[in-house]
Amino acid sequence: FRATPVLPVYLSLVFRCVGENFFVARAGQCVLGALTCVLVFGIATRLVSPRAGLLSGSCLAIYPFHIYLAGVFYPECVVSFLLALSIFLAVRGGKLALVTGLVIAATALARGTFLILIPGVIVAWWSQGVRRQCGVLLVGSLLLIMPWAARNAQVFGRWMPVSSGFGMMLWRGNNELATGDPSDRHLDPRNRSEEHTSELQSRFGIS
């Protein structure tokens, strides 16, 4: 369920250009992290004030977890950059609607939960009277998401716009049996393996 394409595509492009060089891949993520700080500066400047922009960008630049993510291959480094870029474009009020749609779609392809950005931005623009651009944004989003959704339909034989993780993570996050640790994967209701049965028996005293 973690098989979203954006981080693998990023790594494959780096490795295609320079070979399997993890230093270069991490350096690229450092650049994305720095650009994220610049984007946050731009967002806060536009929405609040230049002083708020400087404070926001500076705080992100020294935020330990943001720095840590540049050195590990989790999707969050790329997601943070794409999310910041999505919001930066969205607050411009539809001036680059097609590009905004493409970037939001890329964000969703990095983490499926960010599909919510598509209707969210459309509602915001619509309420501001920016209505023609809403359709352009939707077209841009579909241009990027639909090929991956078609691939998923072919591979898994069912409709899956980004990944299968959202439903499972929603289930794990809202039930009394989940503890939040990796063993929760055994609580997947679709899992009927012996390991799954053993885990339930040991954790909850089921005979």
Side-chain angles (χ1 to χ4, degrees):
F1 66 86
R2 297 181 185 272
T4 48
V6 173
L7 181 62
V9 167
Y10 164 75
L11 291 174
S12 68
L13 290 174
V14 172
F15 294 165
R16 177 65 63 90
C17 293
V18 300
E20 196 168 317
N21 190 316
F22 294 104
F23 175 80
V24 173
R26 289 188 174 99
Q29 290 191 160
C30 290
V31 172
L32 292 179
L35 291 174
T36 304
C37 298
V38 175
L39 289 168
V40 168
F41 164 79
I43 293 165
T45 297
R46 186 175 184 87
L47 295 179
V48 185
S49 69
R51 182 176 296 178
L54 182 60
L55 178 62
S56 301
S58 299
C59 286
L60 183 60
I62 61 174
Y63 180 48
F65 192 62
H66 182 66
I67 297 170
Y68 167 77
L69 286 174
V72 294
F73 297 123
Y74 292 163
E76 275 66 28
C77 181
V78 180
V79 169
S80 298
F81 168 72
L82 291 173
L83 180 60
L85 182 57
S86 297
I87 298 171
F88 179 80
L89 293 169
V91 298
R92 295 174 66 85
K95 293 181 180 178
L96 296 170
L98 182 63
V99 176
T100 304
L102 291 169
V103 175
I104 289 176
T107 307
L109 288 176
R111 277 293 186 209
T113 50
F114 289 110
L115 278 171
I116 193 65
L117 285 174
I118 298 173
V121 173
I122 287 175
V123 168
W125 284 2
W126 192 275
S127 66
Q128 296 171 2
V130 185
R131 298 181 176 179
R132 181 179 299 178
Q133 287 86 341
C134 291
V136 178
L137 180 141
L138 186 59
V139 169
S141 299
L142 291 176
L143 283 174
L144 206 56
I145 289 175
M146 290 309 296
W148 182 252
R151 172 264 182 196
N152 286 343
Q154 182 179 11
V155 171
F156 298 105
R158 62 189 176 92
W159 169 249
M160 191 187 301
V162 177
S163 73
S164 62
F166 176 73
M168 186 61 208
M169 298 304 289
L170 183 66
W171 185 89
R172 284 170 57 178
N174 292 277
N175 78 90
E176 61 185 11
L177 302 182
T179 61
D181 60 55
S183 64
D184 280 348
R185 65 173 62 93
H186 302 304
L187 300 177
D188 187 334
R190 298 165 297 182
N191 191 339
R192 293 294 178 266
S193 66
E194 292 183 7
E195 186 180 17
H196 170 261
T197 303
S198 176
E199 174 68 19
L200 289 178
Q201 288 175 342
S202 64
R203 185 183 294 189
F204 304 111
I206 300 172
S207 58

